[in-house]
Amino acid sequence: MQEPSTRHSYEALAHSLRGELIRPGEAGYDSARAVYNAMIDRRPGAIARCADTADVVRCVDFAREHGIDLAVRGGGHNAAGLGVWDDALVIDLSAMRTVTVDAEARKVTAQGGCLWSDVDGATAEAGMATPSGFLASTGVGGLTLGGGVGYLTRRFGLTVDNLLSAEVVLADGTTVTASAQEHVDLFWALRGGGGNFGVVTAFTFACHEIGEDGIVIGGPVLYDLADTAAVMRWYRELVPALPEELSGWLGLITIPPAPPFPEELWGRKSCAIVWCYTGPHDKAEAVLAPVREFGSPLLVGLQEMPFPVLQSAFDGLYPAGLQWYWRADVFHEISDDAIDVHLKYGEKLPTGHSTMHLYPIDGAAARIPEDATAFAYRRGGWAGVIVGVDPDPANAGLITDWAQRYWEELHPTSAGGAYVNFLGDEGQDRIRASYLGNYDRLTRIKERYDPENLFHVNQNIPPATRRP
């Protein structure tokens, strides 16, 4: 419960903002505090829908001066629901969604509240894209600050490898630009270090031409679940040897009961690979031949499409408001022991939305040294995630138990840490393991830019002098 003086001070904050301040009991409060993961049910002290960077500065100053928790919300997709926090002041950037494309310079600038659908739509008009993730409804800020693994990672690197600069509101209320020329240490930390160092109100990324005028070849290839072991052994050898214009993530899924999947496959458990080819189409037949010809697929769904269509293909299947429980690891290899675990728990998929995915981190991303950015897992392999998902809160225990048991058996085959965007509330040791040798440098940069740990509602990296 907020102290009376703080509640009274919110009146002054509300009057100072160009945007809207929403408090408990006011119209729209419950919708404003809701995030993508409906398993998160937190009650902030106030939610500031900021209209511009000046609003963000006012909120940072307010939280610092009153000693209250501060949470930052972009797209609201965070696995742990860290865009909201009990009794905190939430900086909600969702009204700040301007995107500007400079086609001649091949770059795009997106405000901190943008979703990737905003960016993809703008860059596609110029036949270009910047590396992002696998869902268009994901927020630009959260995905970027954690690293950004996606369809274009093998060819163009992670999202952070394409970040050119960032406008950042710091803990002391000042606004700076971080880039390879300014605040270089901050720029290093932002590229994978999460929301620990400030509120990023604008990102500028490099863009790349892909496919034929932005048209790629992509889609799923589905196999019977009984073929999983053979598919995984083939896939683990194939992916590192593929041209970097082709990437594909592997999942254990229940085939959705909806078009475009054939009705006879609805509800069937499957090993799926979703491919994305961004190279010239006159070479596509030869590059995609191994993908089309391996095994006895239930469905080969490869086709030409604009890149935003592939990027948004699963948004309708996973709308906001589902129950989610996440567990994750990075894997340098898909070992035979790991395959045995995948088979065991793939057969036990508890609900139609529950799934396991392996996302490649190799090619261009693996050529960058581990200490070049805060994102450390650069030696090739996969970012793995196990997610129990269902619309019914009554199944929260079921999906949580399945994901936990799956992860506990699979973890010994992992590299030790995880892609931080997939981490839940798992403790400091897991955060440290996810940054490898970069962790100590991150604590020193945190000490410089946020010595009082104002920005701690995140996968927190404490200042060097406060480390446990």
Side-chain angles (χ1 to χ4, degrees), residues 223-256:
Y223 302 88
D224 189 86
L225 190 68
D227 295 335
T228 296
V231 172
M232 284 189 167
R233 291 189 179 100
W234 165 74
Y235 171 82
R236 72 187 180 189
E237 303 298 328
L238 175 71
V239 169
L242 287 174
E244 291 173 5
E245 292 83 359
L246 178 60
S247 187
W249 59 265
L250 182 146
L252 300 180
I253 70 166
T254 300
I255 298 173

Coordinates of all heavy atoms in Angstrom, one line a residue, residues 223-256:
Y223 N 6.4 -33.5 -39.1 CA 6.7 -34.9 -39.1 C 5.9 -35.5 -38.0 O 5.5 -34.9 -37.0 CB 8.2 -35.1 -38.8 CG 9.1 -34.5 -39.8 CD1 9.6 -33.2 -39.7 CD2 9.5 -35.2 -41.0 CE1 10.4 -32.6 -40.6 CE2 10.4 -34.6 -41.9 CZ 10.8 -33.3 -41.7 OH 11.7 -32.7 -42.6
D224 N 5.6 -36.8 -38.1 CA 5.0 -37.6 -37.1 C 5.8 -37.5 -35.8 O 7.1 -37.6 -35.9 CB 4.7 -39.0 -37.5 CG 3.9 -39.8 -36.5 OD1 2.6 -39.7 -36.6 OD2 4.5 -40.4 -35.6
L225 N 5.2 -37.5 -34.6 CA 6.0 -37.4 -33.4 C 6.9 -38.6 -33.3 O 8.0 -38.5 -32.7 CB 5.1 -37.3 -32.2 CG 5.7 -37.0 -30.9 CD1 6.3 -35.6 -30.9 CD2 4.7 -37.2 -29.7
A226 N 6.5 -39.8 -33.8 CA 7.4 -41.0 -33.7 C 8.7 -40.8 -34.5 O 9.6 -41.6 -34.2 CB 6.6 -42.2 -34.2
D227 N 8.7 -39.9 -35.4 CA 10.0 -39.6 -36.2 C 10.9 -38.6 -35.5 O 11.9 -38.2 -36.1 CB 9.6 -39.1 -37.6 CG 8.9 -40.1 -38.4 OD1 9.0 -41.3 -38.1 OD2 8.1 -39.7 -39.3
T228 N 10.6 -38.2 -34.3 CA 11.3 -37.1 -33.6 C 12.8 -37.4 -33.5 O 13.6 -36.5 -33.8 CB 10.7 -36.8 -32.3 OG1 9.4 -36.3 -32.4 CG2 11.5 -35.7 -31.5
A229 N 13.2 -38.5 -33.1 CA 14.6 -38.8 -32.9 C 15.4 -38.7 -34.2 O 16.4 -38.1 -34.3 CB 14.8 -40.2 -32.3
A230 N 14.8 -39.3 -35.3 CA 15.5 -39.2 -36.6 C 15.6 -37.8 -37.1 O 16.6 -37.3 -37.6 CB 14.8 -40.1 -37.6
V231 N 14.5 -37.0 -36.9 CA 14.5 -35.6 -37.4 C 15.5 -34.8 -36.6 O 16.2 -34.0 -37.2 CB 13.0 -35.0 -37.2 CG1 13.1 -33.5 -37.5 CG2 12.1 -35.7 -38.1
M232 N 15.5 -35.0 -35.3 CA 16.5 -34.2 -34.5 C 17.9 -34.5 -34.8 O 18.8 -33.6 -34.9 CB 16.2 -34.4 -33.0 CG 15.0 -33.7 -32.5 SD 14.9 -33.8 -30.6 CE 13.6 -32.5 -30.3
R233 N 18.2 -35.8 -35.1 CA 19.6 -36.1 -35.4 C 20.0 -35.6 -36.8 O 21.1 -35.1 -37.0 CB 19.8 -37.7 -35.4 CG 19.7 -38.3 -34.0 CD 20.1 -39.7 -33.9 NE 20.0 -40.2 -32.6 CZ 19.0 -40.9 -32.1 NH1 17.9 -41.2 -32.9 NH2 19.0 -41.3 -30.8
W234 N 19.1 -35.6 -37.7 CA 19.3 -35.0 -39.0 C 19.5 -33.5 -38.9 O 20.4 -32.9 -39.4 CB 18.2 -35.4 -39.9 CG 18.1 -34.6 -41.2 CD1 18.8 -34.7 -42.3 CD2 17.1 -33.5 -41.5 NE1 18.4 -33.8 -43.3 CE2 17.3 -33.1 -42.8 CE3 16.0 -33.0 -40.8 CZ2 16.5 -32.1 -43.4 CZ3 15.2 -32.0 -41.3 CH2 15.5 -31.6 -42.6
Y235 N 18.6 -32.9 -38.2 CA 18.5 -31.4 -38.0 C 19.8 -30.9 -37.3 O 20.3 -29.8 -37.8 CB 17.3 -31.1 -37.2 CG 17.1 -29.6 -36.8 CD1 16.6 -28.7 -37.6 CD2 17.5 -29.2 -35.5 CE1 16.5 -27.3 -37.2 CE2 17.3 -27.9 -35.0 CZ 16.8 -27.0 -35.9 OH 16.7 -25.7 -35.5
R236 N 20.3 -31.5 -36.3 CA 21.4 -31.0 -35.6 C 22.7 -31.0 -36.4 O 23.6 -30.2 -36.2 CB 21.7 -31.9 -34.3 CG 22.2 -33.3 -34.6 CD 22.3 -34.1 -33.3 NE 22.8 -35.4 -33.5 CZ 22.8 -36.4 -32.6 NH1 22.3 -36.2 -31.4 NH2 23.3 -37.6 -33.0
E237 N 22.8 -31.9 -37.4 CA 23.9 -31.9 -38.3 C 23.7 -31.0 -39.5 O 24.6 -30.3 -40.0 CB 24.2 -33.3 -38.9 CG 24.4 -34.4 -37.8 CD 25.6 -34.1 -37.0 OE1 26.6 -33.5 -37.5 OE2 25.6 -34.4 -35.8
L238 N 22.4 -30.8 -39.9 CA 22.1 -30.1 -41.1 C 22.3 -28.6 -40.9 O 22.9 -27.9 -41.7 CB 20.7 -30.3 -41.6 CG 20.1 -29.5 -42.7 CD1 20.8 -30.0 -44.0 CD2 18.6 -29.6 -42.8
V239 N 21.7 -28.0 -39.8 CA 21.6 -26.6 -39.6 C 23.0 -25.9 -39.7 O 23.1 -24.9 -40.5 CB 20.9 -26.2 -38.4 CG1 21.0 -24.7 -38.0 CG2 19.4 -26.6 -38.5
P240 N 24.0 -26.3 -39.0 CA 25.3 -25.6 -39.1 C 25.9 -25.7 -40.5 O 26.8 -24.8 -40.8 CB 26.2 -26.4 -38.1 CG 25.2 -27.0 -37.1 CD 24.1 -27.4 -38.0
A241 N 25.5 -26.6 -41.3 CA 26.1 -26.7 -42.7 C 25.3 -26.0 -43.7 O 25.7 -25.9 -44.9 CB 26.2 -28.2 -43.0
L242 N 24.1 -25.5 -43.3 CA 23.3 -24.8 -44.3 C 23.8 -23.4 -44.7 O 24.5 -22.8 -43.9 CB 21.9 -24.6 -43.7 CG 21.0 -25.8 -43.6 CD1 19.7 -25.4 -42.8 CD2 20.6 -26.4 -44.9
P243 N 23.5 -22.9 -45.9 CA 23.8 -21.5 -46.2 C 23.1 -20.7 -45.2 O 22.0 -21.0 -44.8 CB 23.2 -21.4 -47.6 CG 23.1 -22.8 -48.2 CD 22.9 -23.7 -47.0
E244 N 23.7 -19.5 -44.8 CA 23.1 -18.7 -43.8 C 21.8 -18.0 -44.2 O 21.1 -17.5 -43.3 CB 24.1 -17.7 -43.3 CG 25.3 -18.4 -42.6 CD 26.4 -17.5 -42.2 OE1 26.3 -16.3 -42.4 OE2 27.4 -18.0 -41.7
E245 N 21.5 -18.1 -45.5 CA 20.2 -17.5 -45.9 C 19.0 -18.4 -45.5 O 17.9 -18.0 -45.6 CB 20.2 -17.4 -47.5 CG 21.1 -16.4 -48.0 CD 22.5 -16.9 -48.2 OE1 22.8 -18.0 -47.8 OE2 23.4 -16.1 -48.6
L246 N 19.3 -19.6 -45.0 CA 18.2 -20.5 -44.6 C 18.4 -20.8 -43.1 O 19.5 -21.2 -42.6 CB 18.3 -21.8 -45.4 CG 17.2 -22.9 -45.0 CD1 15.8 -22.4 -45.2 CD2 17.5 -24.2 -45.8
S247 N 17.3 -20.6 -42.4 CA 17.3 -21.0 -40.9 C 16.0 -21.6 -40.6 O 15.0 -21.4 -41.3 CB 17.4 -19.7 -40.1 OG 17.6 -20.1 -38.7
G248 N 16.0 -22.4 -39.6 CA 14.7 -23.1 -39.2 C 14.8 -23.4 -37.7 O 15.8 -24.0 -37.2
W249 N 13.7 -23.2 -37.0 CA 13.6 -23.6 -35.6 C 12.8 -24.9 -35.5 O 11.9 -25.1 -36.3 CB 13.0 -22.5 -34.7 CG 11.7 -22.0 -35.0 CD1 11.3 -20.9 -35.8 CD2 10.4 -22.5 -34.6 NE1 10.0 -20.7 -35.8 CE2 9.4 -21.7 -35.1 CE3 10.0 -23.6 -33.8 CZ2 8.0 -21.9 -34.8 CZ3 8.7 -23.9 -33.5 CH2 7.7 -23.0 -34.1
L250 N 13.1 -25.7 -34.5 CA 12.5 -27.0 -34.4 C 11.6 -26.9 -33.1 O 12.0 -26.4 -32.1 CB 13.5 -28.1 -34.2 CG 13.0 -29.5 -34.1 CD1 14.0 -30.5 -34.8 CD2 12.8 -29.9 -32.6
G251 N 10.4 -27.5 -33.2 CA 9.5 -27.6 -32.1 C 8.8 -28.9 -32.0 O 8.6 -29.6 -32.9
L252 N 8.3 -29.2 -30.8 CA 7.4 -30.3 -30.5 C 6.1 -29.7 -30.2 O 5.9 -28.9 -29.3 CB 7.9 -31.1 -29.3 CG 9.3 -31.8 -29.5 CD1 9.6 -32.6 -28.3 CD2 9.3 -32.7 -30.8
I253 N 5.1 -30.0 -31.0 CA 3.8 -29.2 -31.0 C 2.6 -30.2 -31.1 O 2.8 -31.3 -31.4 CB 3.8 -28.2 -32.2 CG1 3.6 -29.0 -33.5 CG2 5.0 -27.3 -32.2 CD1 3.2 -28.1 -34.7
T254 N 1.5 -29.6 -30.8 CA 0.2 -30.2 -31.2 C -0.3 -29.4 -32.4 O -0.4 -28.2 -32.3 CB -0.8 -30.2 -30.1 OG1 -0.3 -30.9 -29.0 CG2 -2.1 -30.8 -30.5
I255 N -0.6 -30.0 -33.5 CA -1.0 -29.3 -34.8 C -2.3 -28.6 -34.5 O -3.3 -29.2 -34.1 CB -1.1 -30.3 -35.9 CG1 0.3 -31.0 -36.2 CG2 -1.6 -29.6 -37.2 CD1 0.2 -32.1 -37.3
P256 N -2.3 -27.3 -34.7 CA -3.5 -26.5 -34.4 C -4.7 -27.0 -35.2 O -4.6 -27.3 -36.4 CB -3.1 -25.1 -34.7 CG -1.6 -25.1 -34.7 CD -1.2 -26.5 -35.2

